[in-house]
Amino acid sequence: MHLTGKHINYYHICHRKLWLFHSGISFQQTHANVADGTLLHETAYPQRAKRYREVQLDGIKIDFYDPQERVVHEIKRSNKLEHASIAQLQYYLRVLERHGIENPTGLLEYPKIRRTERVVLTDADRAAIEQWEAAIEQLVNLPSCPPVINKPFCKQCSYYEFCYVSEAGVELDLPPLSVAYL
Ligand code: SF4
């Protein structure tokens, strides 16, 4: 099974979300979020179209790859839940390695807060990625959806209503929203 970047990202955020995504169950994100993300990719670094390449390998799609420097650039709106973004980028690096690219590195970029984070792969990361892949394979083949996780960021998830609002429209109690979701 070829994994996508979202499989890796969601595995590190919520196993239920991973399962729902893999099962093809999706809900439209709010128009504002989608528009914001698209605009960010189009306008954050306008000079990129010429310098960098889009790469599609196995299940992954890298929007900005610098073949000369062997650097994957990943743009994110927010650095909340950064561990999942780092894992996603590390997975991209591992896929590149598997296709013969030596020592690729990554840059997580947050244009809204003018911050970048360098991401590399260690042997421990490579071993961890093997474990993620095995765990994801098991999770997505579960016969039923894993339980809700009751995290504050659930309110920003596209599955929020599916997970927490009953058919009668009654919302369950959640902890106060303290972090913005990706
Ligand atoms: S709303 Fe929360 S429990 Fe439901 S899929 Fe999203 S993150 Fe997981």
Side-chain angles (χ1 to χ4, degrees):
M1 182 177 81
H2 283 155
L3 301 183
T4 67
K6 281 187 176 172
H7 280 98
I8 302 295
N9 192 296
Y10 294 170
Y11 170 69
H12 287 84
I13 293 174
C14 172
H15 293 174
R16 180 180 175 89
K17 181 167 179 146
L18 168 67
W19 189 95
L20 289 167
F21 163 71
H22 184 81
S23 304
I25 299 166
S26 65
F27 296 92
Q28 195 66 42
Q29 282 196 307
T30 67
H31 182 70
N33 278 353
V34 173
D36 191 34
T38 306
L39 195 65
L40 190 67
H41 271 78
E42 288 174 353
T43 61
Y45 305 101
Q47 75 279 19
R48 287 208 165 165
K50 294 184 207 129
R51 289 187 51 199
Y52 300 153
R53 301 279 176 275
E54 180 184 297
V55 174
Q56 296 195 41
L57 273 179
D58 299 341
I60 66 165
K61 178 171 171 289
I62 298 169
D63 290 330
F64 300 111
Y65 176 60
D66 180 342
Q68 281 186 344
E69 303 294 330
R70 301 191 301 278
V71 176
V72 177
H73 296 256
E74 179 74 7
I75 303 173
K76 295 288 186 188
R77 273 190 304 144
S78 154
N79 63 344
K80 305 300 183 190
L81 304 177
E82 188 175 51
H83 69 292
S85 301
I86 290 173
Q88 180 180 346
L89 188 42
Q90 286 178 323
Y91 184 69
Y92 291 168
L93 300 181
R94 188 67 182 127
V95 172
L96 288 175
E97 277 191 343
R98 286 170 177 165
H99 284 267
I101 307 292
E102 287 184 19
N103 299 318
T105 58
L107 271 187
L108 265 181
E109 300 176 340
Y110 306 103
K112 285 193 164 184
I113 55 172
R114 298 177 184 275
R115 207 190 118 204
T116 59
E117 187 77 32
R118 189 160 179 269
V119 174
V120 296
L121 269 186
T122 64
D123 284 342
D125 297 325
R126 292 181 185 95
I129 288 170
E130 305 279 322
Q131 292 173 356
W132 302 344
E133 289 173 310
I136 290 171
E137 183 101 30
Q138 280 194 335
L139 281 164
V140 299
N141 285 307
L142 289 175
S144 58
C145 189
V148 296
I149 58 172
N150 284 299
K151 296 286 186 185
F153 55 76
C154 286
K155 283 202 169 183
Q156 297 295 309
C157 176
S158 61
Y159 294 106
Y160 174 70
E161 291 202 359
F162 176 83
C163 291
Y164 294 105
V165 180
S166 73
E167 283 180 17
V170 178
E171 207 171 321
L172 302 177
D173 269 349
L174 277 179
L177 183 62
S178 57
V179 294
Y181 198 41
L182 292 176

